[in-house]
Each structure stands twice: as C-alpha cells, then as structure tokens.
Amino acid sequence: MQHIAGKFDVKLSPQLAAPGIEAARTARMTIDKQFYGDLEAHSLGEMLSAMGEVKGSAAYVAIERVSGVLQGKKGSFALLHTGMMNRGQSQLNIQVVPDSGTGELAGINGAMQIEIRDGQHFYSFDYRLP
C-alpha cells in the first residue's frame, strides 16, 4: 500500500434541484478540485446532500473523476464519498470505485481522507496498483 498526502483546492457550485423533486429538500452541487503534491490532478464531480432537522446533522454522497498524474503514473479514477454528521459527530468514507482506473492507473484501489484546517483542504491517500 502506498501513502501520499497533499493539499487541494475545491470549488462547490450549487445547482438547481431536478424538476419534480424539490419537495425532497436535498441540495445538489458540482465539484471542481485541483490536487497538488504526489497527486497532480484535476477532478470534476457531483454531490447530493440533505440536512437533518437538528443542527449538526446531515449527510452527503458524491462521485468525482480524478484525472492527472499520481506519483509519475498518468490516468484517472473515480472516488465515491459517503459522509454523515450526527449532531456534530462526523463519519466520512472516500473509496476508489472498483475498476474505475484508466491508463497507468488501471486496477487502482484505495481510500482517501480529507481534512480542513484553517480554511485549507488537505488529502491523505492510501492506494495500491497492480
């Protein structure tokens, strides 16, 4: 298993709800990220979230396609996010989508963690290539 860490910038853009589901009270956003460090890459994706009725409770799911260079290997892969906050206690799981790797990243698997400190975003990525 390889381990890397670095910084990323992210732009989230709110989108309108799909027609007919406004009553679901979900929020949809597009994701546009730039990764730096051992992962020099750009990603695009979508996020869907719902807020709980109690402050600090919410959930989100997201899928993004990461394209670029991972420790000298060029290609892309998809990430699946599942996040839950229960009255301020958070759980976040970000996994590489199985068999989503392309190019030199074909067969990649792994998990990513993210952390926000002082308004800056950081990633930690444990992955394996065949």
Side-chain angles (χ1 to χ4, degrees):
M1 191 68 78
Q2 297 287 319
H3 175 81
I4 62 168
K7 185 178 172 193
F8 69 94
D9 295 323
V10 61
K11 179 182 176 190
L12 299 174
S13 300
Q15 304 295 307
L16 295 175
I21 67 157
E22 296 87 355
R25 298 184 337 177
T26 58
R28 189 169 62 93
M29 293 187 223
T30 57
I31 303 167
D32 188 340
K33 287 184 187 172
Q34 186 66 48
F35 292 89
Y36 306 99
D38 285 332
L39 176 59
E40 286 288 334
H42 179 245
S43 78
L44 296 171
E46 290 195 74
M47 175 190 298
L48 185 64
S49 64
M51 302 297 289
E53 297 299 319
V54 174
K55 183 177 178 166
S57 294
Y60 89 93
V61 293
I63 295 179
E64 65 181 304
R65 167 71 57 184
V66 180
S67 301
V69 179
L70 172 61
Q71 291 192 307
K73 296 184 185 294
K74 188 175 181 179
S76 72
F77 56 92
L79 292 172
L80 169 66
H81 300 233
T82 55
M84 182 81 70
M85 282 189 62
N86 184 349
R87 299 181 181 206
Q89 297 294 319
S90 64
Q91 293 178 313
L92 179 59
N93 185 23
I94 306 172
Q95 296 286 321
V96 173
V97 174
D99 299 316
S100 65
T102 67
E104 295 176 297
L105 301 179
I108 190 170
N109 64 59
M112 184 178 282
Q113 292 79 43
I114 59 173
E115 184 179 351
I116 303 169
R117 295 189 310 260
D118 300 322
Q120 294 187 359
H121 293 78
F122 299 89
Y123 68 87
S124 177
F125 188 34
D126 294 308
Y127 72 93
R128 181 175 296 133
L129 282 166

